[in-house]
Amino acid sequence: MKRNRWFFILVLAVLLLTSCGGTKDAGTGGGGKVDSKGNVTLEFWYALGGDSGKAIEDLVKQFNDTHPTIQVVATYQGNYTTAMAKVYSAITGNTLPNIAQLGGAPLLGTSGAIIPISDFVASDSSFNLDDFYPSFLEYNTAGGVLWTAPFNNSVPILVYNKDLFIAAGLDPDNPPQNTEELLVAAKALTKTDASGTPSQWGLNARDDTHWYLSTFFLENGAQIVSEDETQVLYNSPEAVEMLEMWSNWVNVDKVMPPNQHQEAQSDFLSGKLGMMFASTSLVSSIQTEASFKVGSTMFPAVGDVHKVPLGGGSLVIFKNDDERIRNASWEFVKFMISKDSSIYLTSHTGYIPIYKDATSWPEIQAIVEENPLRKAAFDSLPYAVAIPVFSALGNSDLALQNAVEQVELGTASPQQALDDAKTSVDHSIKTQFQVTP
């Protein structure tokens, strides 16, 4: 699963509506217990399935094996949308766990149910935030507060079919590095049958189209939201230019099928698609399922500018009246985001390491040596940025997806589609509760 932002769009709507009329203090977590000997049992909810979920379960076991006085009970709660919905139900019922792994987690700051990670950091001299990429911390910040801890993160990349590259006369070891080269390759990869119907497409994106479009926005110098987070800014000329480019891929260059993003991965795996925008978190599964040689490279630059917005999940600590439970929760979070745990998660999933010096670690270098397909993800780390976590972020993601759909189907021009998106999202910002410390 990609851990981009589409997964919690619907939940954010519930989240923000709830917070509009919610209280500042949602009470304390209902989970966790301390026995007569002072041993602590914690409840941990997580939202990753498959191999990624297995990696989380392994990390929990490692923690339990090395912390005899703290034991963590981990429970899979479904995908990010389902897990967040369960969290909000638990807030209402005062049945929260102690820790959770969630997408869109910093926006829980409005609920009054979580403890800012910055509170724990301030009283723990052994923990140094400077060890992390600043963008990973920004990704977990809302309203100027570091609410959550970075954990499983991903960035967008380009994956491609090396066999189709060779058949089209392209160099499989020299994939496109910018949008100009991308279009050249997409044209070479697009094939039609005798009737003129496309039998093979050059380019497509998975259904989290807002993530990839936002990447192009940022690379072209457009802003997502104003500094004071009171309005979105992606109807600017720089943004419109990027949606125009996207529209042309579909309607002019004819290298991308219109509004078929849900089918993109299956088309790619069946050999009907040459290149696909995807998440680093999916690389391992795509490689396993493909019957051809898969290549990967950094997300195409606009000109020579690379900027890749982070996606993924974070760790949240819920309020609890018992200091022993709060302290034990922090010990667990520190373990889960430690260097060793980051190496383990990175090596067993498609997620990227969260530490600034990670690419110099022998363990991370060994991952690339064993599987060069992972290199694109690590090469992207210096270019990772965080889209500001503002109150209408979920609505914004949905509005941008709608804009993409409109231009692909020819129902709106790029300018009109982005003007409409801005109008809708700006209204949401004005009517939704802002994240405050």
Side-chain angles (χ1 to χ4, degrees):
M1 196 175 292
K2 57 164 187 28
R3 290 333 91 178
N4 307 333
R5 289 191 151 88
W6 62 267
F7 46 75
F8 60 92
I9 288 171
L10 296 178
V11 167
L12 286 181
V14 176
L15 182 160
L16 294 163
L17 286 172
T18 303
S19 63
C20 284
T23 61
K24 185 65 179 175
D25 188 351
T28 61
K33 62 183 180 181
V34 183
D35 67 17
S36 59
K37 297 181 180 179
N39 297 315
V40 178
T41 300
L42 301 174
E43 291 185 26
F44 170 52
W45 290 1
Y46 66 97
L48 294 182
D51 291 341
S52 297
K54 177 63 166 59
I56 286 185
E57 293 168 1
D58 290 345
L59 287 172
V60 171
K61 184 179 186 303
Q62 292 173 26
F63 177 86
N64 287 338
D65 290 346
T66 55
H67 295 75
T69 63
I70 306 173
Q71 293 296 287
V72 175
V73 178
T75 308
Y76 175 61
Q77 297 294 334
N79 64 20
Y80 279 150
T81 302
T82 302
M84 186 68 89
K86 289 181 179 180
V87 164
Y88 266 84
S89 177
I91 289 174
T92 302
N94 198 29
T95 55
L96 284 164
N98 305 109
I99 315 101
Q101 176 258 336
L102 300 165
L107 287 176
L108 278 170
T110 63
S111 70
I114 67 174
I115 307 172
I117 290 297
S118 55
D119 286 5
F120 294 100
V121 173
S123 59
D124 189 341
S125 60
S126 68
F127 193 83
N128 189 359
L129 290 176
D130 291 337
D131 292 339
F132 300 90
Y133 280 104
S135 57
F136 287 77
L137 301 179
E138 293 167 9
Y139 185 77
N140 287 277
T141 298
V145 177
L146 181 65
W147 289 104
T148 56
F151 181 56
N152 61 296
N153 288 100
S154 56
V155 292
I157 57 171
L158 181 74
V159 295
Y160 61 97
N161 183 324
K162 285 192 170 186
D163 292 353
L164 293 185
F165 262 55
I166 294 172
L170 299 170
D171 184 352
D173 297 320
N174 187 29
Q177 297 301 300
N178 55 46
T179 54
E180 290 81 7
E181 294 176 2
L182 181 72
L183 179 56
V184 171
K187 287 181 175 179
L189 289 162
T190 301
K191 307 294 181 184
T192 57
D193 60 23
S195 66
T197 302
S199 56
Q200 177 180 299
W201 291 99
L203 177 66
N204 205 351
R206 282 177 49 84
D207 58 2
D208 43 335
T209 52
H210 65 280
W211 197 32
Y212 311 118
L213 181 61
S214 295
T215 305
F216 287 126
F217 285 171
L218 296 171
E219 291 183 331
N220 201 40
Q223 287 182 262
I224 303 297
V225 66
S226 62
E227 291 292 332
D228 60 5
E229 299 181 0
T230 60
Q231 62 174 325
V232 294
L233 302 175
Y234 44 58
N235 66 336
S236 65
E238 295 84 359
V240 173
E241 182 184 4
M242 293 297 96
L243 188 54
E244 182 78 45
M245 174 185 70
W246 189 297
S247 175
N248 287 343
W249 290 337
V250 175
N251 298 302
V252 178
D253 306 309
K254 308 290 187 181
V255 297
M256 178 188 285
N259 197 32
Q260 294 183 31
H261 303 293
Q262 291 186 353
E263 297 83 7
Q265 185 163 326
S266 60
D267 284 349
F268 183 77
L269 291 173
S270 63
K272 298 177 183 178
L273 174 63
M275 300 180 293
M276 180 176 68
F277 299 141
S279 166
T280 54
S281 67
L282 293 170
V283 166
S284 297
S285 62
I286 289 174
Q287 185 177 31
T288 299
E289 295 179 44
S291 59
F292 49 83
K293 292 182 179 179
V294 180
S296 69
T297 190
M298 288 175 56
F299 196 88
V302 175
D304 59 357
V305 177
H306 280 291
K307 284 188 179 181
V308 285
L310 291 166
S314 309
L315 296 179
V316 178
I317 297 178
F318 294 100
K319 289 182 177 179
N320 196 289
D321 287 335
D322 195 318
E323 182 180 11
R324 296 167 296 180
I325 289 178
R326 296 196 301 271
N327 291 340
S329 297
W330 174 233
E331 284 302 312
F332 176 65
V333 168
K334 284 199 298 181
F335 174 87
M336 294 294 278
I337 64 175
S338 67
K339 173 182 175 179
D340 287 343
S341 294
S342 182
I343 291 171
Y344 189 87
L345 188 69
T346 301
S347 63
H348 287 77
T349 70
Y351 293 109
I352 53 180
I354 57 180
Y355 285 83
K356 285 191 292 189
D357 61 345
T359 54
S360 67
W361 299 346
E363 299 91 341
I364 297 298
Q365 293 174 350
I367 293 173
V368 176
E369 291 175 6
E370 182 178 339
N371 185 3
L373 205 60
R374 300 291 303 277
K375 185 176 184 296
F378 303 147
D379 287 346
S380 301
L381 284 170
Y383 306 100
V385 297
I387 293 175
V389 181
F390 61 101
S391 63
L393 181 59
N395 304 69
S396 175
D397 291 346
L398 183 58
L400 289 178
Q401 288 184 9
N402 288 338
V404 169
E405 180 177 334
Q406 288 174 341
V407 300
E408 288 188 1
L409 297 178
T411 60
S413 69
Q415 183 70 66
Q416 186 61 57
L418 290 178
D419 284 344
D420 290 347
K422 174 179 169 59
T423 298
S424 173
V425 176
D426 285 355
H427 176 74
S428 295
I429 291 174
K430 291 177 181 178
T431 58
Q432 289 172 350
F433 191 84
Q434 296 293 313
V435 178
T436 57

